[in-house]
Amino acid sequence: MPDIIKNVFVSHHHKDDASVDGLTGILSKKGYHLRNSSIRVKPANQKRLDQKKISDRTIERLLRMKMRWASQVIVVIGKETHTRSWVDWEIKAAHQLGKPIIGVYENGLKDQVEIPTNLRKYATSIVGWRGDSIIDALSGKSLFQNPDGTPSPKKNGGNVIC
């Protein structure tokens, strides 16, 4: 299989940074290389964010710029993702930019987890942690699965698949 490069924005809870690395790794083994434009906050900048020294408007502008560059947005779904307001904002912004939005359950999730509100509304696919399923979603197939990879009823999803 020839190598395929995808420009993506990976929305995630920062506690799930290891899953972003895992996602990149699982796809790399199958010839898919992700170029991820999402933000990982360095410890030095986390303090500035916590102290609200950077305005929400500035953060939104930066995130929109990074999402415009990406052809697709992937949302890593962990146990706490639905509680993250920035993840939900990123999903809505991606929808407004017309980006296909792919939810990927974290590796090891066996039970249902709550899906972020906007992902339920706008996802083009939600798949389990399986390389072939993720690749099918990145290729434009609309799939809806449970965390264990079994089929799930389609969510509301209303985005365009390119």
Side-chain angles (χ1 to χ4, degrees), residues 46-62:
Q46 185 62 53
K47 186 175 180 182
R48 293 181 66 212
L49 287 169
D50 292 342
Q51 295 173 341
K52 297 280 185 190
K53 290 186 174 181
I54 302 171
S55 73
D56 287 352
R57 188 173 173 179
T58 298
I59 295 169
E60 289 171 2
R61 187 176 61 236
L62 175 65

Side-chain angles (χ1 to χ4, degrees), residues 1-160:
M1 171 186 250
D3 285 352
I4 296 173
I5 297 172
K6 290 281 187 179
N7 296 337
V8 299
F9 180 94
V10 181
S11 178
H12 65 287
H13 181 354
H14 288 289
K15 280 184 175 178
D16 300 333
D17 278 350
S19 291
V20 177
D21 295 335
L23 180 69
T24 302
I26 193 173
L27 294 177
S28 178
K29 290 176 186 171
K30 294 186 173 279
Y32 265 70
H33 301 283
L34 298 183
R35 296 196 301 190
N36 178 10
S37 65
S38 67
I39 296 172
R40 289 193 177 179
V41 179
K42 296 177 182 171
N45 291 330
Q46 185 62 53
K47 186 175 180 182
R48 293 181 66 212
L49 287 169
D50 292 342
Q51 295 173 341
K52 297 280 185 190
K53 290 186 174 181
I54 302 171
S55 73
D56 287 352
R57 188 173 173 179
T58 298
I59 295 169
E60 289 171 2
R61 187 176 61 236
L62 175 65
L63 291 171
R64 270 193 211 97
M65 182 178 68
K66 297 218 171 242
M67 278 191 266
R68 278 190 189 100
W69 173 85
S71 60
Q72 295 164 309
V73 171
I74 297 173
V75 180
V76 174
I77 307 167
K79 291 179 181 173
E80 298 177 25
T81 307
H82 70 283
T83 66
R84 311 308 298 172
S85 60
W86 278 110
V87 170
D88 221 36
W89 182 89
E90 289 166 347
I91 296 165
K92 185 174 182 180
H95 173 71
Q96 291 169 337
L97 292 169
K99 303 294 180 181
I101 303 165
I102 301 162
V104 178
Y105 291 106
E106 269 191 316
N107 189 23
L109 289 179
K110 296 190 181 347
D111 300 322
Q112 286 292 341
V113 294
E114 195 164 334
I115 296 173
T117 302
N118 284 329
L119 186 60
R120 203 174 314 117
K121 287 182 190 173
Y122 304 125
T124 52
S125 289
I126 298 177
V127 297
W129 187 270
R130 288 174 174 63
D132 291 337
S133 296
I134 299 166
I135 288 170
D136 284 348
L138 287 168
S139 300
K141 290 184 183 173
S142 184
L143 302 171
F144 288 88
Q145 299 177 340
N146 296 307
D148 64 0
T150 58
S152 169
K154 185 178 190 287
K155 309 296 183 223
N156 292 340
N159 212 336
V160 175

